[in-house]
Each structure stands twice: as structure tokens, then as C-alpha cells.
Amino acid sequence: MQKIKCENNQLFVPDQPTIPFIPGDGIGPEVWEATQAIVDAAVQKAYHGQKAITWMEIAAGEKSAQNSGEWLPQATLDTIREYIVAIKGPLTTPVGGGIRSLNVTLRKTLDLFVCLRPIRWFEGVAAPVREPQLIDLIIFRENTEDLYAGIEYAAGTPENQIMLDFFKEKFPKDFAKIRFPENVGLGVKPISKQGSERLVRAAINYAIKNHRKTVTLVHKGNIMKFTEGAFRNWGYDLAESEFSSMVFTKRQWETIKKEEGEAVADEYKKEALRNNKIWINDVITDAAFQQVLLYPADFDVIASTNLNGDYLSDAIAAQVGGIGIAPGANINMDTQVAIFEATHGTAPAIAGKDIANPSSLLLSAEMMLIYIGWTEAAEMILSALKKTIKQKFLTADLALYVPNAELMGTKAFTEKIIKNMD
């Protein structure tokens, strides 16, 4: 088996790499089967047999639990670390105690600190907004901190009472803010300088590499000043110290405005943009939800804390037709370990009915091919999918609001995409 290697933060990809995959639960095996067929066809057509992927199934989810009693075996984690790049379908969240979420566990255990979500519109997909074509942005969501760190204490537990007693004794003013201390759940929201910096650094590096013009820090720092607000401040600090020659920040603009006036500050900004510097700004979370609806073209790359990024990525995906056509990846930009994944759930109600839309996982595979440098195959997949959708050959979720669409099952949709590669 040929393995992808990482040396000095750079991937080295053989012509016959082995890539682990997790089919997933519910509709997972169906959308994976479709994705694998399309990817294999694209690689064959793009490289005429000189390159090929060897797929290696690894265990996680319901199938793994049934076979071994483990929802996420240690061997699976070890294999992903060893082979660096992996892909997965949707996974069921176990009911009851133990693992809260397999997806969150994978991200945290492997330290996949960037959740990367590109969002764009495909011509022919029904969208609830008037100009979905204006949406073409990338979300960098911090993946390991915030409320997803899972530090919570249920009401009435000894651990909860220890926390309450501590606050009551050491910080009585803060304790007084707890409205009903006799029956309250408590959570801790960790956001660190290191976690914020590496996320923002990844977003700016992406913007530079891909000639994006704006990076927007999304946060709720007006209320949570020492977590969300710190994320904003640390983001600006990093941008101005590590990328000083390549960016101009809203904070710099505000300083110039205060000292020399708005007109002078605007001239500085115009000069920076003329010199192709990246504009680094920030938006309060609730304002971001409004502005991305009203002025979507103003957003290019978004860097956000974990929970805000979760909300935003699904909400913006809805503007272009839903998460059924939105890809995603979880990446450690230092080790280059990456898992590409479907962003939707397992949809057990439609599993096995040949009606699932494989586009989310397929576009995640397209991202994966770009990640390993196989851009010709990636472009072939993207072009064929665009052509298929524009021709109105659509799965049920996409066809719902498209007049004169030809409804296709998962297998027929897959075959049409492969045919459209010719």
C-alpha cells in the first residue's frame, strides 16, 4: 500500500495512494458508493490509468458498534493518522452515555482544528434568495474549543454543586448572575489564544494562496468579551504581526480614523486594496447573519469560533439550496491530517430507497482531490456535476422546487454525472 506522506508541512502523494474511508450510517453507504464510483471514473479519465486510489474501509458508527461493540475503535484513529487523508459519510450520534458525537470526537482526538466549509451556488438549484450566485465564500470554523469542548455539569450533580459553591465563595458577584442556582446546568466555554491564532492563520493563508480579498472574523465579543471578544483581538493581533505586509485591518483603519479622520483612513484602505492587500475585518455574529443575506458579495473568507461557525455554515448553505449540496473538511493545518465528510445527517427514513443526494460527499471528495493535488480529476467532477444539475437531472431534494426537473434516483444521478464527464 502506498501512503501519502507529510514532510515539513507538505504532502507527498504517490500515484497509487491508499485512502481510508468510512461509509457512514443511514444513507451513508449509498452516497459513498456513488461518490466512489464518480471519483474512480474521474481519476481514470483524467490520468488514463497512471493514477488511481486504493480505497481502504475503516470502522466507525453503527456498523462498527454491531461488529465490535466500539463506535470508534482506536485502530481507526491510528489509521487516519498513518494515512493522513481520509473521507467519511454521515455518522449516527450514539444514544445514551459515552461518546457524545462521533464527528466531534474525531475532530478533537485528531486535533483537526479547522472545519472548512466552502459554500457556492450551482446554476439550476432552487434557492430561497434572489441572487444566490453572489454567494461564493469559505468558512473557517474553529473545531476544538468553545462549547464543543463538552465541559458541562448537569443540574443537581455533585460536580455542579462544587462549581456553584466555588463561585458563591470566590466570586459572589458572578454567582449573583445565576438566576436560579438551585436548579441550573453549568457549562464552560474555553477559547484560547493558541486555538484562535492557528484558526485565523489558516484562514489568512488560504486567502493569500487563493487570491481572496477579505477575511471576516465573526464573533459575539460585544457580550462575551473575554472569549469571543478575545478571539477577535487575537485574530487582529496575529494578522498585524505575522502578515503585516499582506493585510490591512479594520482595527488599523479605526486607529487612523481616530487620529487623522475618516477620509484619511479611507485613503489608507484604498491604497492597501490597490496593492492587493487582504482586508481583515470583523462582524458581530447576529449582524453577520443579516449581512450575509443582504450583502453576500461582501463576504469572502469567514473565520469564526466553533458554535458561530456551526450556525453560519448551515444557514448560508440554505441560501444556495441546502446542506445536501454543501461539502466539508476537518483539517489540522500543521500535521496535514484531514477528514473530508458529508455535512448532512444519516437520514435513516430514506436509507436504502435510492433517493439520497450524494452531492455533499461528492463535493467533499472533490475538495479532497484538490487537497492532494489531483486538480484535473477534481475539475472533471465539478464540471460534470454542474452540467448534470443545469440539465435538470436532479435527486428528489434538489428537484422539489425546480420546474420540469427530471427526477433521478441516487444510482441514475451517479451514472448521469459519470456520463457528463465525456
Side-chain angles (χ1 to χ4, degrees), residues 8 26 59 77 98 105 233 281 290 293 299 326 361 385 390 399 422:
N8 299 319
L77 297 168
T105 302
N233 294 336
N281 66 339
Q290 174 179 256
L293 276 167
F299 291 87
L361 189 57
L385 178 61
K390 191 173 181 179
D422 296 331

Side-chain angles (χ1 to χ4, degrees), residues 197-217:
E197 285 182 340
R198 65 182 186 173
L199 186 280
V200 175
R201 182 182 295 113
I204 296 175
N205 277 325
Y206 180 92
I208 293 169
K209 182 178 179 181
N210 293 278
H211 309 291
R212 296 277 181 159
K213 297 179 179 181
T214 302
V215 175
T216 302
L217 310 176

Side-chain angles (χ1 to χ4, degrees), residues 10 18 93 125 205 222 241 243 258 260 314 316:
Q10 182 178 352
T18 296
T93 296
V125 174
N205 277 325
N222 57 329
S241 62
F243 299 93
K258 184 178 180 180
E260 303 183 49
D314 282 5
I316 299 172

Side-chain angles (χ1 to χ4, degrees), residues 391-408:
Q391 291 171 337
K392 296 188 177 184
F393 295 113
L394 305 174
T395 52
D397 60 321
L398 298 179
L400 189 58
Y401 301 109
V402 178
N404 303 315
E406 183 169 337
L407 185 62
M408 308 203 85

Side-chain angles (χ1 to χ4, degrees), residues 59-272:
E62 288 181 325
K63 181 179 177 181
S64 176
Q66 291 168 2
N67 291 340
S68 68
E70 294 184 88
W71 285 87
L72 183 57
Q74 182 62 43
T76 292
L77 297 168
D78 294 340
T79 298
I80 294 172
R81 287 193 185 97
E82 181 181 358
Y83 287 83
I84 299 180
V85 175
I87 187 168
K88 59 175 280 296
L91 291 172
T92 298
T93 296
V95 177
I99 296 174
R100 288 187 175 195
S101 163
L102 293 173
N103 293 324
V104 172
T105 302
L106 281 165
R107 296 165 189 170
K108 290 180 64 178
T109 305
L110 297 170
D111 198 25
L112 308 178
F113 61 86
V114 170
C115 180
L116 189 63
R117 293 283 299 273
I119 304 174
R120 59 193 164 189
W121 180 68
F122 289 85
E123 184 180 354
V125 174
V129 295
R130 287 182 301 177
E131 297 180 297
Q133 70 276 9
L134 297 179
I135 300 169
D136 181 13
L137 57 85
I138 310 289
I139 295 178
F140 279 73
R141 167 192 169 194
E142 201 289 318
N143 230 357
T144 63
E145 298 190 312
D146 202 352
L147 297 179
Y148 285 77
I151 306 172
E152 288 188 290
Y153 304 100
T157 61
E159 296 85 356
N160 182 287
Q161 192 59 51
I162 290 171
M163 292 289 289
L164 288 170
D165 292 342
F166 174 79
F167 273 98
K168 188 174 183 179
E169 178 185 352
K170 301 292 185 180
F171 305 103
K173 289 184 179 179
D174 290 326
F175 180 79
K177 297 175 184 177
I178 301 175
R179 190 62 60 88
F180 303 107
E182 67 279 359
N183 189 19
V184 62
L186 297 174
V188 179
K189 178 187 175 74
I191 291 181
S192 70
K193 180 180 180 182
Q194 293 90 334
S196 300
E197 285 182 340
R198 65 182 186 173
L199 186 280
V200 175
R201 182 182 295 113
I204 296 175
N205 277 325
Y206 180 92
I208 293 169
K209 182 178 179 181
N210 293 278
H211 309 291
R212 296 277 181 159
K213 297 179 179 181
T214 302
V215 175
T216 302
L217 310 176
V218 175
H219 61 92
K220 192 63 178 172
N222 57 329
I223 302 299
M224 292 168 279
K225 301 183 185 301
F226 306 120
T227 51
E228 302 269 342
F231 171 84
R232 170 195 180 273
N233 294 336
W234 288 325
Y236 277 136
D237 290 344
L238 177 123
E240 293 166 7
S241 62
E242 291 190 15
F243 299 93
S244 59
S245 65
M246 292 174 278
V247 306
F248 185 69
T249 72
K250 180 183 174 183
R251 191 169 70 174
Q252 291 173 322
W253 178 89
E254 289 171 341
T255 299
I256 297 169
K257 176 186 174 183
K258 184 178 180 180
E259 295 175 351
E260 303 183 49
E262 186 170 349
V264 175
D266 285 343
E267 283 302 315
Y268 271 92
K269 180 182 176 182
K270 289 177 183 177
E271 179 64 20

